[in-house]
């Protein structure tokens, strides 16, 4: 089994993915900003865990994180670039700061992690990169121009990297969730409620109804798609929808 590194591992999709990777027999390095959350997830894992607190918007963070894992366990074979953030604003109220934040967290940080991971993967002739993108990597959506642009960008990065690495034994994919029942969605619910004059339960129901299945996606359902990309060498260059039928492709 491989050495796996999961970013944004302290909660939500990252936590669910780390649990699945651990059950599958992988060593799992947990990366995130909150050491206490990482420790809590590590205690849940079935096998070995390594916690590496880091802020991936720092340009030097990938070298620090990968170096720590390599010193302990060797080269990373599975990278799950899950860390992300979402902020909403009308286009004309989207500030330069909001724009930069979306690009730094959702596009530049995954790029730096992939760039750092690839040499070790190609050297061993095997590797799996999975980026957690979004359903809005495939369509535009009102109020989230910056978020949508960052996720479109990261899907383009995935496709280009997959083509470049196709004959090296390294696959590169994205999973594209809809609205998932995570703390990040809780923040979206709060913002929606304030804007629309709804209580949290009403705002959450509105989000659920945006998906044809009529409910939020469970984080473990996204994690299952991540594991499918890890297990299947013939899947590369894909953006796999986990969105309850929102985008049919």
């Amino acid at each position: 089994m491989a050495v796996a590194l999961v970013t944004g591992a302290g909660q939500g999709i990252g936590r669910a993915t780390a649990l699945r990777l651990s059950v599958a027999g992988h060593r799992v390095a947990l990366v995130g900003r909150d050491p206490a959350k990482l420790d809590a997830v590590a205690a849940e894992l079935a096998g070995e865990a390594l916690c590496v607190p880091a802020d991936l918007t720092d340009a030097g963070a990938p070298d620090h994180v990968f170096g720590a894992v390599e010193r302990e366990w060797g080269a990373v074979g599975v990278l799950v670039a899950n860390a992300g953030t979402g902020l909403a604003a009308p286009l004309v109220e989207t500030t330069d700061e909001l724009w930069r934040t979306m690009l730094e967290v959702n596009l530049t940080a995954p790029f730096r992690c992939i760039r750092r991971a690839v040499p070790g993967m190609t050297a061993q002739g095997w590797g799996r990169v999975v980026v957690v993108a979004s359903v809005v990597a495939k369509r535009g959506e009102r109020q989230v121009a910056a978020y949508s642009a960052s996720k479109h960008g990261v899907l383009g990065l995935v496709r280009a990297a997959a083509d470049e690495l196709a004959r090296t034994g390294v696959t590169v994919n994205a999973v594209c969730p809809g609205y998932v029942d995570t703390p990040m969605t809780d923040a979206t619910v709060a913002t929606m409620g304030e804007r629309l004059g709804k209580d949290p339960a009403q705002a959450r129901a509105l989000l659920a109804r945006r998906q044809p299945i009529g409910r939020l996606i469970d984080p473990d359902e996204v994690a299952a798609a991540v594991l499918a990309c890890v297990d299947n060498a013939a899947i590369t260059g894909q953006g796999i929808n986990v969105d309850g039928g929102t985008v049919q492709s």
Side-chain angles (χ1 to χ4, degrees):
M1 291 290 104
V3 172
L5 188 156
V6 182
T7 72
Q11 60 188 22
I13 294 169
R15 170 186 169 275
T17 299
L19 290 170
R20 278 196 172 249
L21 285 165
S22 183
V23 168
H26 302 285
R27 292 172 164 177
V28 184
L30 306 168
V31 181
R33 296 182 181 184
D34 188 329
K37 288 183 178 180
L38 298 182
D39 288 342
V41 174
E44 295 183 84
L45 298 189
E48 293 182 81
L50 178 65
C51 297
V52 189
D55 179 353
L56 290 172
T57 61
D58 179 346
D63 275 338
H64 162 69
V65 166
F66 280 83
V69 176
E70 288 162 353
R71 286 190 295 273
E72 191 74 21
W73 288 340
V76 171
V78 176
L79 167 63
V80 181
N82 164 71
T85 191
L87 296 171
L91 179 62
V92 297
E93 296 175 18
T94 298
T95 64
D96 286 357
E97 182 181 0
L98 188 155
W99 179 265
R100 282 193 297 269
T101 297
M102 291 299 96
L103 293 183
E104 278 293 316
V105 177
N106 297 334
L107 178 55
T108 302
F111 159 70
R112 288 174 177 152
C113 287
I114 294 169
R115 181 176 62 184
R116 181 60 175 78
V118 162
M121 292 179 178
T122 55
Q124 61 190 8
W126 189 92
R128 299 287 183 266
V129 176
V130 187
V131 177
V132 178
S134 167
V135 67
V136 298
K138 297 188 174 183
R139 71 172 196 183
E141 192 168 306
R142 67 189 67 182
Q143 305 287 325
V144 288
Y147 179 75
S148 181
S150 69
K151 294 298 187 177
H152 273 72
V154 85
L155 184 55
L157 169 65
V158 161
R159 289 167 168 165
D163 189 55
E164 185 171 327
L165 298 169
R167 297 189 180 184
T168 67
V170 179
T171 66
V172 188
N173 291 287
V175 294
C176 300
Y179 289 103
V180 185
D181 193 5
T182 65
M184 193 169 95
T185 297
D186 292 340
T188 301
V189 166
T191 301
M192 278 184 64
E194 290 174 8
R195 190 174 75 246
L196 301 175
K198 306 286 187 182
D199 66 36
Q202 291 172 319
R204 186 174 291 273
L206 286 174
L207 279 186
R209 287 200 296 271
R210 289 187 183 183
Q211 301 177 136
I213 59 173
R215 63 169 176 84
L216 299 180
I217 308 301
D218 188 274
D220 190 60
E221 293 172 317
V222 184
V226 173
L227 266 290
C229 294
V230 172
D231 291 340
N232 194 326
I235 300 175
T236 194
Q238 303 304 308
I240 298 173
N241 299 343
V242 189
D243 62 0
T246 302
V247 174
Q248 297 181 352
S249 64

